[in-house]
Amino acid sequence: MTYDLLIRNGLIVDGSGMPGYRGDISVKDGIIVEIGKLSGSADRTIDAEGLVVAPGFIDNHTHFDAQVTWDPMCSSSCDHGATSVIFGNCSLSLAPVRPGSQERLSGFLSYVEAIPMEVLNTINVTWESVPDYMETLDNGLGVNVGNLMGHSAIRFYVMGEAAQERAATDEEIEEMRTIVREGMQAGALGLSVSRNAGHFDPQGVPVPALWAEEKEIFAICDVLRELGTGIIQSGGGNGAEVENGLMSRLSEATGRPVVYNTLLHNLKYPGQWKEQMAKIDETVAKGIRAYPMCTPNEITDFFTMRNTQAFRGLPTWHPILIASDEEKLRAYSDPEIRKKLHEEAIEFKIDFTPRGISRQWWNHMTVQNAMLDKNKGLEGKTIGEIAQEQGKGVIDAMLDLAVEENLDTAFLQSEVNADPEAVAEILNYPNALIGLSDGGAHVQFQAGFGYSTRLLAEWVREKQAMSLENAVKRLTFESASIFGLHDRGLVQPGKVADIVIFDPETVRPLPNEVVHDFPGGAMRMRQPAEGIRMTIVNGQVLMEDGRHVGSLPGRLLRNNHYRANSAN
């Protein structure tokens, strides 16, 4: 047999967790054919001497719903060995959508996931239903993409503005169930809901999914039980799980896996991750599939006071954040407003716990880039240090600088996954799923695309907190199993040839870059990688040494119910 591809001499880490072994891999018609010491000929032979050959990584939590329509590579996930990405998370998706309501629906995704509206407004929305959207996606893809249906989109489609005002009627719930059923029958990978109380629209109103009663959530998720397919994903599910076991109850009621955000070390709640683990252990012991997501990334936010999520939800700050730049400058210069900001963000004279900042956030927020030469000495210092040096209050120190530099000062906030020992324990916890790149979201603040290369570089090679084989399994087979992608996630004969080849000695994420490659020249953060030699999607080379070779071999990933019924 003449193969399409023959990969020789690599260290095959097959995704199973078993020890890596040296061998050759042959590919024909997009499928892995044979593994061993092979002697056949091929249209292209790749020498992988000194390199690891592994299943393509599955970027399991992204928000590429919009970006995929103009960027079939879903960059920068493709730079880090991802051959498949999954979006539609946290109840947010771009379908279904009624004609004329595109901008309103996009506003949910824009404000929660910090994607500029001027970018989203460039999309030519030609679909209405979930199946329509999926058909739009199913051509000209670089990586494979799988979509979840967003509860907020479904609820808004059915209820209109009432979706952010009241509970749904039985008739409205049944209409939502019909939409979910149609989407699942078209092959959607699942349904996403949200319990994240920090998810607002641009007007400061909670997104539609947060208005749903448990009755509604269980009813729409029950469609997945009826069809025996799909996954349930929840934004902000950890709080609901700790409070009343909602995530595990959903999984138990439907028999479907539930994946929710998040298991992290957070300076706001430094011991909470251990409490979460104890709760999860109890759930898993009962045979219930409800798993949190975690990440090897230290989660940082890069922002200016023109556009920040850090203080979102604080009563005085929130309306300022969505105001014009001129109004921001006036407000930030006003002593009376500064006094109120101090009361809310320093003294915490509010009746809730802010989601974006810890009790001493000024000690974890640094000046990243000062615009004026005279302020360059402040770079690298925390707001707390600057306030102390200047003999000012924290709010005055921060806003004096921001106003003086016309809101262009760049700040960096780091409060999540800042404890290496805690993160190592979390990453090795078998009942959590590694991922959470958030690719396509928070595009001006952070770039988490490199969670896979960071795991391999920092936690495997440098800290030796995990074996190479286990890391690859966690990046591939585990996500493939949970999300129902049973033909992927392993390097085995008969599996789809989604493959990444990387140098274990050099693989790593490179520093974030600011680029202006979004529609209209809009700015975003991207993250290149080092050491990813080749990415193969459905048997065709997609990326080689960090460059797209021009092919578009990606496909729309569809659930098992769809594939079983399409085969008949």
Side-chain angles (χ1 to χ4, degrees):
M1 177 188 292
T2 299
Y3 308 119
D4 297 331
L5 280 179
L6 182 59
I7 304 170
R8 289 193 180 278
N9 307 317
L11 177 66
I12 300 171
V13 180
D14 66 6
S16 70
M18 295 292 288
Y21 59 93
R22 302 201 175 278
D24 307 331
I25 301 171
S26 64
V27 175
K28 182 73 174 179
D29 297 328
I31 303 296
I32 297 171
V33 180
E34 296 170 327
I35 300 175
K37 276 194 171 294
L38 306 180
S39 56
S41 61
D43 293 339
R44 180 174 181 183
T45 299
I46 299 164
D47 185 4
E49 181 71 39
L51 305 175
V52 171
V53 183
F57 304 146
I58 298 172
D59 196 347
N60 52 26
H61 184 104
T62 78
H63 294 277
F64 285 121
D65 310 67
Q67 187 175 328
V68 69
T69 65
W70 70 79
D71 174 15
M73 302 294 289
C74 293
S75 59
S76 300
S77 289
C78 58
D79 294 83
H80 296 267
T83 54
S84 300
V85 303
I86 297 168
F87 47 75
N89 289 283
C90 302
S91 87
L92 305 167
S93 61
L94 293 180
V97 55
R98 293 193 184 278
S101 67
Q102 298 98 318
E103 186 169 353
R104 184 80 168 86
L105 179 63
S106 295
F108 303 141
L109 182 64
S110 172
Y111 201 64
V112 172
E113 302 302 340
I115 307 168
M117 274 304 297
E118 59 266 28
V119 171
L120 297 182
N121 284 338
T122 67
I123 300 172
N124 180 25
V125 177
T126 59
W127 59 86
E128 179 171 348
S129 69
V130 173
D132 290 344
Y133 175 68
M134 294 174 67
E135 288 304 313
T136 300
L137 296 180
D138 199 12
N139 66 87
L141 292 167
V143 295
N144 303 309
V145 305
N147 70 296
L148 306 174
M149 294 175 287
H151 186 191
S152 282
I154 294 168
R155 198 171 206 270
F156 183 66
Y157 183 87
V158 170
M159 300 176 64
E161 295 301 326
Q164 292 176 279
E165 297 172 353
R166 60 171 173 82
T169 65
D170 290 346
E171 292 76 15
E172 288 166 337
I173 291 174
E174 193 55 44
E175 188 175 349
M176 293 183 215
R177 284 171 49 84
T178 298
I179 292 170
V180 173
R181 187 175 295 108
E182 291 173 350
M184 295 305 296
Q185 289 173 338
L189 296 185
L191 173 68
S192 71
V193 298
S194 181
R195 295 289 88 187
N196 191 329
H199 284 178
F200 303 97
D201 70 6
Q203 290 72 44
V205 181
V207 296
L210 297 178
W211 294 81
E213 298 176 338
E214 279 197 12
K215 171 186 174 181
E216 176 183 330
I217 297 170
F218 276 83
I220 62 173
C221 290
D222 190 63
V223 175
L224 278 64
R225 179 199 60 79
E226 293 176 3
L227 297 175
T229 196
I231 185 170
I232 300 164
Q233 187 276 337
S234 179
N238 60 315
E241 179 66 6
V242 170
E243 180 181 351
N244 59 27
L246 177 60
M247 301 296 105
S248 51
R249 287 189 289 118
L250 265 178
S251 179
E252 188 173 27
T254 62
R256 305 313 309 162
V258 173
V259 173
Y260 59 93
N261 296 359
T262 46
L263 180 63
L264 302 166
H265 176 271
N266 194 318
L267 291 172
K268 292 193 286 291
Y269 321 104
Q272 189 181 71
W273 63 279
K274 292 183 179 180
E275 298 172 11
Q276 281 182 259
M277 280 188 180
K279 177 80 173 179
I280 298 159
D281 288 342
E282 293 175 6
T283 297
V284 172
K286 296 175 184 176
I288 298 170
R289 295 182 293 172
Y291 311 111
M293 298 203 71
C294 63
T295 178
N297 291 341
E298 180 178 354
I299 299 177
T300 59
D301 274 336
F302 177 87
F303 66 92
T304 72
M305 293 306 292
R306 291 181 187 273
N307 188 9
T308 176
Q309 294 183 302
F311 306 103
R312 180 176 292 181
L314 292 175
T316 302
W317 224 311
H318 192 91
I320 300 174
L321 297 177
I322 60 177
S324 68
D325 288 347
E326 292 75 14
E327 291 171 318
K328 287 187 179 78
L329 284 167
R330 284 196 296 271
Y332 290 147
S333 302
D334 187 327
E336 289 303 312
I337 289 181
R338 288 189 180 194
K339 181 180 177 181
K340 292 180 181 178
L341 298 179
H342 177 88
E343 291 174 350
E344 295 173 5
I346 306 298
E347 297 181 3
F348 293 95
K349 292 182 177 179
I350 46 180
D351 57 2
F352 63 94
T353 301
R355 304 189 66 86
I357 53 174
S358 67
R359 288 283 170 170
Q360 291 191 331
W361 57 267
W362 50 88
N363 292 327
H364 308 287
M365 190 179 289
T366 58
V367 174
Q368 187 78 354
N369 298 113
M371 297 296 106
L372 302 178
D373 288 342
K374 75 184 193 68
N375 293 329
K376 289 293 184 182
L378 301 179
E379 292 181 350
K381 294 182 179 180
T382 68
I383 302 302
E385 289 171 338
I386 295 169
Q388 188 172 18
E389 288 176 5
Q390 296 178 348
K392 297 178 179 177
V394 169
I395 297 296
D396 285 337
M398 183 178 190
L399 295 184
D400 281 349
L401 177 61
V403 170
E404 182 183 31
E405 299 198 334
N406 199 36
L407 305 180
D408 289 325
T409 312
F411 299 95
L412 188 71
Q413 181 188 27
S414 177
E415 297 189 359
V416 179
N417 275 3
D419 181 338
E421 291 184 5
V423 175
E425 201 167 332
I426 290 168
L427 293 175
N428 280 290
Y429 182 56
N431 299 326
L433 198 63
I434 291 180
L436 211 66
S437 82
D438 249 6
H442 311 288
V443 296
Q444 297 178 341
F445 304 132
Q446 58 186 241
F449 306 102
Y451 77 94
S452 54
T453 48
R454 186 172 304 283
L455 183 69
L456 297 169
E458 181 177 351
W459 299 97
V460 173
R461 185 176 67 237
E462 297 170 9
K463 291 186 167 73
Q464 299 183 5
M466 182 183 296
S467 71
L468 174 62
E469 289 82 358
N470 191 36
V472 168
K473 176 186 175 184
R474 305 219 67 192
L475 294 171
T476 57
F477 175 71
E478 291 187 1
S479 284
S481 299
I482 293 295
F483 284 87
L485 308 177
H486 301 300
D487 56 348
R488 301 167 200 270
L490 291 169
V491 174
Q492 289 181 350
K495 298 291 187 183
V496 174
D498 286 351
I499 295 170
V500 60
I501 303 174
F502 64 88
D503 185 342
E505 299 302 320
T506 63
V507 64
R508 66 187 179 105
L510 294 175
N512 294 343
E513 301 174 348
V514 175
V515 295
H516 294 268
D517 62 354
F518 266 18
M523 168 266 190
R524 69 159 175 148
M525 308 286 289
R526 70 177 296 271
Q527 186 179 42
E530 182 179 339
I532 300 290
R533 292 296 182 83
M534 189 171 291
T535 305
I536 298 166
V537 176
N538 296 308
Q540 297 183 47
V541 176
L542 175 72
M543 302 278 292
E544 192 165 355
D545 292 323
R547 296 185 302 275
H548 178 214
V549 302
S551 63
L552 293 172
R555 297 174 187 165
L556 178 66
L557 302 172
R558 300 188 193 244
N559 64 45
N560 293 321
H561 181 275
Y562 173 88
R563 286 186 285 173
N565 285 276
S566 296
N568 295 332

